Amino acid sequence: MNYLAHVHLANVTNTSKTGSLLGDFVKGQVSGLNFDNEIKQGIQLHRSIDSFTDAHRYTRSLTVQLGKLRRYGGIIIDVLYDHQLALNFDQFHHQSLNRFAKECYAELDTELAALPDSYVKTVKAMKQMDWLSGYGELPNIERALIGISKRLKRPVDLTQCLDWYQTNQDNIELGFSEFYTDLINFACKQVMNNSKN
């Protein structure tokens, strides 16, 4: 999943939003990281969510449809899922997306000494340009894919997927609701099980 889904799932599970994003910026065993337990829990949940998403039958079915971009399916589908979540946010949350985004920006920490520079820069840009609310607009999804394309070891134009996405968007939206409900249930169970240990 991408940024919007991770912070939303952190909200649903009452876990750290900072930790929920840090999963993309730190490597290694969570137990060895220099963060408090709340942030570590968020990082671990992030990793579990990514694994669940990649293995889910719906994600795999969409990835197959990407043809020559299938190799980058995990990246592409994550971004498209954020677009779907933004478009259907009222189905999964009691607040508007704009209000939720503002509250997230206030909660995301950029001051901790242990935070990687790449995380701090990303979150500051996210706040300044309101990425979370922006995921509802397809041109912003295109910009996100362009940015990711440039950061790949071998740059590839990931925006080539958008013609396929727009052609199939109605069907994708129908499947997304069931998938994301599965993901919410999984995330809640993960946190509940971990709290028992």
Side-chain angles (χ1 to χ4, degrees):
M1 301 304 292
N2 208 46
Y3 299 136
L4 176 58
H6 277 298
V7 292
H8 177 250
L9 291 165
N11 183 274
V12 169
T13 57
N14 197 29
T15 54
S16 166
K17 290 184 177 67
T18 295
S20 77
L21 295 188
L22 271 172
D24 280 335
F25 298 90
V26 295
K27 300 188 183 302
Q29 293 290 326
V30 174
S31 59
L33 297 173
N34 186 27
F35 298 111
D36 64 33
N37 287 335
E38 186 180 352
I39 288 180
K40 286 181 181 180
Q41 180 189 33
I43 295 169
Q44 188 60 60
L45 182 61
H46 175 116
R47 293 177 178 180
S48 297
I49 287 167
D50 281 354
S51 296
F52 179 88
T53 299
D54 290 344
H56 196 280
R57 63 189 181 280
Y58 184 59
T59 303
R60 284 183 285 141
S61 73
L62 292 178
T63 301
V64 168
Q65 297 176 44
L66 289 171
K68 64 182 180 179
L69 291 175
R70 181 177 178 176
R71 177 181 176 189
Y72 306 96
I75 298 168
I76 291 168
I77 301 301
D78 280 353
V79 174
L80 297 180
Y81 278 165
D82 261 14
H83 183 55
Q84 282 297 314
L85 178 56
L87 292 176
N88 299 284
F89 198 72
D90 61 348
Q91 183 180 339
F92 300 103
H93 200 79
H94 64 279
Q95 292 176 306
S96 70
L97 177 56
N98 286 338
R99 179 160 185 171
F100 174 78
K102 287 177 183 175
E103 290 188 3
C104 282
Y105 299 143
E107 290 180 44
L108 288 170
D109 202 332
T110 56
E111 302 302 322
L112 292 177
L115 292 170
D117 287 343
S118 55
Y119 166 87
V120 173
K121 288 177 184 175
T122 297
V123 171
K124 286 183 176 179
M126 184 186 299
K127 292 178 180 182
Q128 184 178 4
M129 293 181 276
D130 190 16
W131 289 1
L132 298 179
S133 296
Y135 283 123
E137 302 294 330
L138 201 57
N140 293 329
I141 296 300
E142 183 175 14
R143 277 192 283 275
L145 289 169
I146 290 170
I148 295 168
S149 297
K150 291 177 180 176
R151 294 193 297 273
L152 296 172
K153 288 182 181 178
R154 293 182 179 179
V156 174
D157 181 12
L158 299 182
T159 64
Q160 295 175 77
C161 73
L162 292 177
D163 285 342
W164 162 80
Y165 176 64
Q166 289 178 280
T167 300
N168 296 280
Q169 188 168 347
D170 289 345
N171 288 332
I172 292 169
E173 187 164 344
L174 286 173
F176 176 78
S177 178
E178 181 181 349
F179 157 73
Y180 198 69
T181 299
D182 286 350
L183 182 56
I184 289 172
N185 291 335
F186 167 80
C188 290
K189 286 178 184 174
Q190 285 290 110
V191 171
M192 185 170 59
N193 291 339
N194 289 340
S195 67
K196 293 176 182 177
N197 297 334

